[in-house]
Amino acid sequence: MSKIVNLNADMGEGFGAYDIGDDDGVLKIIKSASIACGFHAGDPVTMRRVVQRAKEEGVSIGAHPGFNDLWGFGRRRIDMRPDDLECMVAYQIGALQAMASYVGEKVTHLKAHGALGNIAAEDLDIAMAIGRAIKAVDPNIIYVALSGSEMEKAGRKLNLKVAREGYCDRQYEDDGNLTSRKVPGSVLHDPAAVTKQVVRMVLDGEIISRNGKVVKHQVDTLCVHADEPTAMTTAQAARKGLEDAGVKIVSLTEMNFA
Amino acid sequence: MSKIVNLNADMGEGFGAYDIGDDDGVLKIIKSASIACGFHAGDPVTMRRVVQRAKEEGVSIGAHPGFNDLWGFGRRRIDMRPDDLECMVAYQIGALQAMASYVGEKVTHLKAHGALGNIAAEDLDIAMAIGRAIKAVDPNIIYVALSGSEMEKAGRKLNLKVAREGYCDRQYEDDGNLTSRKVPGSVLHDPAAVTKQVVRMVLDGEIISRNGKVVKHQVDTLCVHADEPTAMTTAQAARKGLEDAGVKIVSLTEMNFA
Amino acid sequence: MSKIVNLNADMGEGFGAYDIGDDDGVLKIIKSASIACGFHAGDPVTMRRVVQRAKEEGVSIGAHPGFNDLWGFGRRRIDMRPDDLECMVAYQIGALQAMASYVGEKVTHLKAHGALGNIAAEDLDIAMAIGRAIKAVDPNIIYVALSGSEMEKAGRKLNLKVAREGYCDRQYEDDGNLTSRKVPGSVLHDPAAVTKQVVRMVLDGEIISRNGKVVKHQVDTLCVHADEPTAMTTAQAARKGLEDAGVKIVSLTEMNFA
Amino acid sequence: MSKIVNLNADMGEGFGAYDIGDDDGVLKIIKSASIACGFHAGDPVTMRRVVQRAKEEGVSIGAHPGFNDLWGFGRRRIDMRPDDLECMVAYQIGALQAMASYVGEKVTHLKAHGALGNIAAEDLDIAMAIGRAIKAVDPNIIYVALSGSEMEKAGRKLNLKVAREGYCDRQYEDDGNLTSRKVPGSVLHDPAAVTKQVVRMVLDGEIISRNGKVVKHQVDTLCVHADEPTAMTTAQAARKGLEDAGVKIVSLTEMNFA
């Protein structure tokens, strides 16, 4: 039986007159889109347009909730009570569900954006709050969680479907965490290196850390970026490398998380 | 067979640390709540709390979308393209649906707020845009429309359930429109006058205009306010007067709009 | 004595992670910058950066206030009371003054953005409100006003310095108003046509309307756009054409509005 | 020579239709007002009204900048880079200066709001960023700083005028810091206790800590709240107690910070 993996990307992160990222380009590469919901980015009109485009490309629709901080693009930590944060996430899921209903689709996964995702990876209370929002609004929504993080733990505790996520173009530490962007070389720009990393992740469930150690790292989905030209090249290389290795790229909705 | 009517009110119009209106008081009088959705007022935490309180009081939950203008409390007209406005309304419905799912309820009606409602009453394009948002997100949602307005027309055209709305404490013109608030006496403060007006509206389907003319005016729901003490007294008088006249006060979900 | 004219452009209209327009390119062409103040676009960090760049290029600094509508980029009319609108404009001037103080400069002109400018050109009450904001905050600020508009009238009434503005790349009607963008050909893309129009405006104080009529049209400043590649070419053509005709391009602060 | 002290309070913290706090009541007690600037609370119209009222009551005008978080009322920490935060503070000062110019007044002090003030008290980088904003916009603005905090240190380093602040109705720890609000009894509600504390602070430059220790604590200004009825009573008691002890209550502009 052939191996499968999902490719996902953040999308719809413009706002009004502002545009950012190459949504149309990335939709040709990925199988699941995480769409901004109007708090850190996105607006009702943009969301409507992006769900339409995702539908046309056969890409499944997910929520990409973030902090209520358009100025900071959701990249700044805001110190919220978990219960308030839960409401904030639930609100954003519902808003996207309404837009998805325009194309007869459902919101099938959730991936936290920026600082929200970073905190949730480390802080179980926040990861649980996000999970509870999913559970309350639609327990079938797949919780995309950095593999091995507190988010994965929260998703398991809440009996949610969890898609473990890896990164195509990022180096890892010996403990399986991402190497900080501040460390030189932490972002992979060489398509060959990217291809090697993702194929090993998917076929063997392991990565080679920055220090050369083999680390277990199970992934169901790989994150792809679209904000810079090299990221796009990297994404294409990852997809081609996986397909050449016999891996099938599927949407999150085609995977079995039972 | 006894006559029935609904009483509705706007609710959840605080924002963060700010509170406005006596939500708990008005929930004892009404049967359907129109809850602000985070654009002109309301926030995810407030919405979560208000759906809970509505559920506890057996009051049905409706969306109260408004313009994206917290500073102006949704009372200022914003010149939007109907398609954009439609997305804006759909987004707000979805956001409230998510919060309603916390208490196992659905959003069962929609009433436009402030300037959005005022424009929609007069402008068919805007009224249709709101109606299309309902149709796309959940065609079972009841469209609360000023009786005789373009909103009522739009709802009929789109085959939506339409609840025709009247006002307990407002005078009317000969053509069935509300007398402007700028006209002295346009707001009724005398409980006896209010009672007389609402009972006649419900039992006879007519009102006596400011000039003494009898005007046909069919209503399914009566709007009650909670923002000032006299409004509260008026609301209580309306309810008691109707019940004394044998009218049953029901939620919008108990009515038959087929 | 040689003729002079100012070239101005809107700038700093990004927001947080979002960028729009080629600020650096346009700064090489113009002599006065109208900088967004955080309501329709712009944020404190962007404002700080743009005043710095303007200073470095010897370009004078003006406020470019707009409606409080980032989603609509200030292009949607919002129905505000003139007194409230006045406060909104004063606030934005002050905010930019603070940023200008970082580079030892003053805010020396004001140009209303988008829908705010469009309304003010036609509505004396709004034009006066903007003028009163200038007068209250700093009566030396030059009021940039569409030549012949209600803004020009308001500026005169309030004894403000008024810079009459013309457009390089727009056709005009027989009455001196701009031809609507909806009319084909209303935006000039041919550098030769642009050059001819601006030179005639500056040297002869007149334009040739869309219908071929000669219309008086005095201008002190010409508006240049930077949002599309052809606009940039047009702007460069306008500047070169004027200089070839012996016109000196100066900042608004070098002109005499006494 | 008689002792003097300033009383200050936060004001103008409504937003649009929302009102909070008894601005008119507190203006009768204090001598310097810290006015919200539109980020955590306040809007241009509210600011305009409050500067007017302050002027009428002979109360000096200060800026009360906060995080850009209306939903959280500026009480939630947002993780900003100090340089960005500096721009954010400078922007707010400028905005209030514009409104103050309507009544012929200047912004003469600055007090950071909520989470911004809490962080700045502990984090020198943030305290310096606020101080640099003052220095850039108007170096005569008095920096109101929790006595003994990093803010006081930052103000001294930048050669700014620093007003050391104490709290009328809060208990202190042995190290001079405020006792956390979570500790029972940390907020004083007994007017006699309040009076005793403030008189000792002003006359003797010391406080009695929660544990009974005498701690040096120099203050130039005392903070008064207006958000609850008991706070108002406390504020009045503080004022009366000080005056009975021969202390003169002055505005910050009447003090000598050379």
Side-chain angles (χ1 to χ4, degrees):
Chain A
M1 195 190 109
S2 89
K3 285 273 185 175
I4 61 171
V5 79
N6 174 255
L7 291 179
N8 81 74
D10 305 345
M11 299 195 58
E13 295 193 311
F15 185 79
Y18 300 116
D19 210 358
I20 210 167
D22 176 7
D23 284 353
D24 282 326
V26 86
L27 276 169
K28 303 286 187 191
I29 301 172
I30 62 170
K31 282 288 181 183
S32 295
S34 305
I35 301 174
C37 299
F39 273 51
H40 78 277
D43 64 76
V45 176
T46 300
M47 290 160 74
R48 172 73 185 81
R49 187 178 60 238
V50 175
V51 295
Q52 183 79 43
R53 290 289 300 116
K55 168 81 170 188
E56 289 165 5
E57 299 289 345
V59 167
S60 75
I61 292 168
H64 192 47
F67 281 118
N68 187 29
D69 178 22
L70 188 67
W71 183 19
F73 200 64
R75 289 176 179 152
R76 305 190 290 210
R77 296 182 177 224
I78 301 183
D79 193 24
M80 292 180 73
R81 299 190 312 119
D83 285 356
D84 293 358
L85 191 145
E86 177 185 342
C87 292
M88 180 183 78
V89 171
Y91 180 103
Q92 295 184 54
I93 299 171
L96 185 64
Q97 286 177 319
M99 305 329 282
S101 68
Y102 270 94
V103 293
E105 293 295 327
K106 294 195 162 205
V107 171
T108 47
H109 76 271
L110 177 146
K111 178 178 170 183
H113 170 83
L116 182 60
N118 295 340
I119 301 176
E122 299 161 4
D123 181 333
L124 186 62
D125 285 348
I126 299 300
M128 289 292 288
I130 296 173
R132 288 195 307 271
I134 291 174
K135 196 144 194 171
V137 180
D138 179 357
N140 288 311
I141 289 174
I142 300 158
Y143 192 170
V144 174
L146 186 65
S147 182
S149 72
E150 297 299 296
M151 273 194 278
E152 182 178 350
K153 213 176 291 177
R156 305 283 180 217
K157 274 196 177 201
L158 293 163
N159 289 316
L160 294 170
K161 296 174 187 168
V162 176
R164 294 160 299 177
E165 187 177 38
Y167 281 77
C168 296
D169 60 353
R170 293 288 297 278
Q171 276 198 330
Y172 285 82
E173 296 296 305
D174 289 0
D175 61 1
N177 282 322
L178 292 173
T179 299
S180 163
R181 278 180 185 276
K182 290 167 191 160
V183 176
S186 67
V187 178
L188 306 177
H189 294 291
D190 172 18
V194 166
T195 301
K196 212 168 153 189
Q197 172 158 305
V198 295
V199 169
R200 184 151 191 172
M201 256 197 246
V202 176
L203 293 190
D204 307 320
E206 60 191 34
I207 45 167
I208 310 293
S209 81
R210 186 159 68 99
N211 301 318
K213 201 180 140 189
V214 176
V215 183
K216 284 274 157 226
H217 197 74
Q218 307 283 345
V219 295
D220 304 302
T221 182
L222 291 166
C223 183
V224 150
H225 293 105
D227 17 26
E228 4 165 355
T230 66
M232 205 71 168
T233 314
T234 302
Q236 283 159 333
R239 173 151 184 168
K240 188 166 184 308
L242 288 163
E243 288 177 333
D244 289 350
V247 176
K248 201 179 163 202
I249 314 297
V250 299
S251 87
L252 286 165
T253 53
E254 295 170 87
M255 302 182 94
N256 184 10
F257 295 105
Chain B
M1 195 192 109
S2 87
K3 284 274 185 175
I4 61 171
V5 79
N6 173 255
L7 291 180
N8 81 74
D10 306 344
M11 299 195 59
E13 295 192 311
F15 185 79
Y18 299 117
D19 210 358
I20 209 166
D22 176 7
D23 284 352
D24 283 325
V26 85
L27 276 169
K28 304 286 186 192
I29 302 173
I30 62 169
K31 282 288 181 183
S32 295
S34 304
I35 300 174
C37 300
F39 273 51
H40 78 278
D43 64 75
V45 177
T46 300
M47 289 161 75
R48 172 75 186 80
R49 186 177 63 238
V50 175
V51 295
Q52 182 82 41
R53 291 288 302 114
K55 168 81 169 188
E56 289 164 6
E57 300 288 346
V59 166
S60 74
I61 291 168
H64 192 47
F67 280 118
N68 187 30
D69 178 22
L70 188 67
W71 182 18
F73 200 63
R75 289 176 179 152
R76 306 189 290 210
R77 295 182 179 224
I78 301 183
D79 193 24
M80 292 180 73
R81 297 189 314 119
D83 286 355
D84 293 358
L85 191 147
E86 179 185 341
C87 292
M88 180 182 78
V89 171
Y91 179 103
Q92 294 183 55
I93 298 171
L96 185 64
Q97 286 177 320
M99 305 329 281
S101 69
Y102 271 94
V103 293
E105 293 294 328
K106 294 196 161 203
V107 171
T108 47
H109 76 271
L110 177 146
K111 179 179 170 181
H113 170 81
L116 182 60
N118 295 340
I119 301 175
E122 298 163 4
D123 181 332
L124 187 62
D125 285 347
I126 299 300
M128 289 292 288
I130 296 172
R132 286 195 307 270
I134 292 174
K135 195 145 194 170
V137 181
D138 179 358
N140 288 311
I141 290 174
I142 300 157
Y143 193 170
V144 173
L146 187 65
S147 182
S149 72
E150 297 298 297
M151 272 194 278
E152 182 178 350
K153 214 175 291 175
R156 305 282 179 219
K157 274 196 175 199
L158 293 164
N159 289 317
L160 294 170
K161 298 174 186 169
V162 176
R164 294 160 299 178
E165 186 177 38
Y167 282 76
C168 297
D169 61 353
R170 293 288 297 276
Q171 275 198 330
Y172 285 83
E173 295 298 305
D174 290 0
D175 61 1
N177 282 322
L178 292 173
T179 299
S180 163
R181 279 180 184 275
K182 290 168 192 159
V183 177
S186 66
V187 177
L188 306 177
H189 294 291
D190 173 19
V194 166
T195 301
K196 214 169 148 187
Q197 172 158 304
V198 296
V199 170
R200 184 151 190 172
M201 255 196 249
V202 176
L203 293 191
D204 306 320
E206 61 191 33
I207 45 166
I208 310 294
S209 81
R210 186 160 67 100
N211 301 318
K213 202 180 141 191
V214 176
V215 183
K216 284 273 157 229
H217 197 74
Q218 307 282 348
V219 296
D220 304 302
T221 181
L222 291 166
C223 183
V224 150
H225 292 105
D227 18 25
E228 4 165 354
T230 67
M232 204 72 168
T233 315
T234 302
Q236 283 158 333
R239 173 150 186 171
K240 188 167 183 311
L242 288 164
E243 288 177 332
D244 289 350
V247 176
K248 200 179 163 201
I249 313 297
V250 298
S251 86
L252 285 165
T253 52
E254 294 171 87
M255 303 182 94
N256 184 9
F257 295 105
Chain C
M1 196 190 108
S2 86
K3 285 273 183 175
I4 60 171
V5 79
N6 173 254
L7 291 180
N8 81 75
D10 306 345
M11 299 195 57
E13 295 193 310
F15 186 80
Y18 300 117
D19 210 358
I20 209 167
D22 176 8
D23 284 352
D24 283 325
V26 85
L27 275 169
K28 304 286 186 190
I29 301 173
I30 62 170
K31 281 289 180 182
S32 295
S34 304
I35 300 174
C37 300
F39 273 51
H40 78 278
D43 64 75
V45 176
T46 300
M47 289 161 75
R48 173 73 185 81
R49 186 178 62 237
V50 176
V51 295
Q52 182 82 41
R53 290 289 301 116
K55 169 80 169 188
E56 289 164 5
E57 299 288 346
V59 167
S60 76
I61 292 169
H64 192 47
F67 281 118
N68 187 29
D69 178 22
L70 188 67
W71 182 19
F73 200 64
R75 289 176 179 152
R76 305 189 291 209
R77 295 181 178 226
I78 301 183
D79 194 23
M80 292 180 72
R81 298 189 314 120
D83 285 355
D84 293 358
L85 191 146
E86 178 185 342
C87 292
M88 180 182 79
V89 171
Y91 180 103
Q92 295 183 54
I93 299 171
L96 185 64
Q97 286 177 319
M99 306 329 282
S101 69
Y102 270 94
V103 292
E105 293 295 327
K106 295 197 161 202
V107 171
T108 47
H109 77 271
L110 177 146
K111 178 179 170 181
H113 169 82
L116 182 60
N118 295 340
I119 301 175
E122 299 162 4
D123 181 333
L124 187 62
D125 285 347
I126 300 300
M128 289 292 288
I130 296 172
R132 286 195 308 271
I134 291 173
K135 196 145 192 168
V137 180
D138 179 358
N140 288 311
I141 289 174
I142 300 157
Y143 192 170
V144 173
L146 187 65
S147 182
S149 72
E150 297 298 297
M151 273 194 278
E152 182 178 349
K153 213 175 291 175
R156 306 282 179 218
K157 274 195 175 201
L158 292 163
N159 288 317
L160 294 170
K161 298 174 187 169
V162 176
R164 296 159 298 177
E165 187 177 37
Y167 281 77
C168 297
D169 61 353
R170 293 289 296 278
Q171 275 198 329
Y172 284 83
E173 295 297 305
D174 290 359
D175 62 1
N177 281 322
L178 292 173
T179 299
S180 163
R181 279 180 185 276
K182 290 168 191 157
V183 176
S186 66
V187 177
L188 306 177
H189 294 291
D190 173 19
V194 166
T195 301
K196 214 169 151 187
Q197 172 158 306
V198 296
V199 170
R200 185 151 190 173
M201 256 196 247
V202 176
L203 293 190
D204 307 319
E206 60 192 33
I207 46 166
I208 310 294
S209 82
R210 185 160 67 100
N211 301 318
K213 203 179 139 190
V214 175
V215 183
K216 284 273 157 227
H217 197 75
Q218 307 282 347
V219 296
D220 304 301
T221 182
L222 291 166
C223 183
V224 150
H225 293 105
D227 16 26
E228 1 166 357
T230 67
M232 204 71 168
T233 315
T234 302
Q236 283 159 332
R239 172 149 185 170
K240 187 165 184 311
L242 288 164
E243 288 177 333
D244 289 349
V247 176
K248 200 180 162 199
I249 313 296
V250 299
S251 87
L252 286 165
T253 53
E254 294 170 88
M255 303 182 94
N256 184 10
F257 295 105
Chain D
M1 195 191 109
S2 87
K3 284 273 184 178
I4 60 170
V5 80
N6 173 254
L7 291 179
N8 81 75
D10 306 344
M11 300 196 57
E13 295 193 312
F15 185 79
Y18 300 117
D19 210 358
I20 210 166
D22 176 8
D23 284 352
D24 282 326
V26 85
L27 276 168
K28 304 287 186 192
I29 301 173
I30 63 170
K31 282 288 181 184
S32 295
S34 305
I35 301 174
C37 300
F39 273 51
H40 78 278
D43 64 76
V45 176
T46 300
M47 289 161 75
R48 173 74 186 81
R49 186 178 62 238
V50 175
V51 295
Q52 183 80 42
R53 291 289 300 117
K55 169 80 170 189
E56 289 164 6
E57 299 289 347
V59 167
S60 75
I61 292 169
H64 193 47
F67 281 118
N68 188 29
D69 178 22
L70 188 66
W71 183 18
F73 200 64
R75 290 176 179 151
R76 304 189 291 210
R77 296 181 178 225
I78 301 183
D79 194 23
M80 292 181 73
R81 299 189 313 119
D83 285 355
D84 293 358
L85 191 145
E86 177 185 342
C87 292
M88 180 182 78
V89 171
Y91 179 103
Q92 295 183 54
I93 298 171
L96 184 65
Q97 285 177 320
M99 305 329 282
S101 69
Y102 270 94
V103 292
E105 293 295 327
K106 294 196 162 203
V107 171
T108 47
H109 76 272
L110 176 145
K111 178 178 169 182
H113 170 82
L116 182 60
N118 295 340
I119 302 176
E122 299 161 3
D123 181 334
L124 186 62
D125 285 347
I126 299 300
M128 289 292 288
I130 296 173
R132 288 195 306 271
I134 291 173
K135 196 144 193 170
V137 180
D138 179 358
N140 288 311
I141 289 174
I142 300 157
Y143 194 170
V144 173
L146 187 65
S147 182
S149 71
E150 297 298 297
M151 272 193 278
E152 183 178 348
K153 212 176 291 177
R156 304 282 180 219
K157 274 195 175 201
L158 293 163
N159 289 316
L160 294 170
K161 298 173 187 169
V162 176
R164 293 159 300 176
E165 187 177 37
Y167 282 76
C168 296
D169 61 353
R170 293 289 296 278
Q171 275 198 330
Y172 286 82
E173 296 297 305
D174 290 359
D175 61 1
N177 282 322
L178 292 173
T179 299
S180 164
R181 279 179 185 276
K182 289 167 191 159
V183 176
S186 66
V187 177
L188 306 177
H189 294 291
D190 172 18
V194 166
T195 301
K196 213 169 150 187
Q197 171 157 306
V198 295
V199 169
R200 184 150 190 173
M201 254 196 249
V202 175
L203 293 190
D204 307 319
E206 61 191 33
I207 46 166
I208 311 293
S209 81
R210 186 159 69 98
N211 302 318
K213 201 179 141 191
V214 176
V215 183
K216 284 274 157 230
H217 197 74
Q218 307 282 346
V219 296
D220 305 302
T221 181
L222 291 166
C223 183
V224 150
H225 293 105
D227 17 25
E228 4 165 354
T230 66
M232 205 70 169
T233 314
T234 302
Q236 282 159 333
R239 173 150 184 169
K240 190 170 182 308
L242 288 163
E243 289 176 332
D244 289 350
V247 176
K248 199 179 164 204
I249 314 297
V250 299
S251 86
L252 285 165
T253 52
E254 294 170 87
M255 302 182 94
N256 184 11
F257 295 106

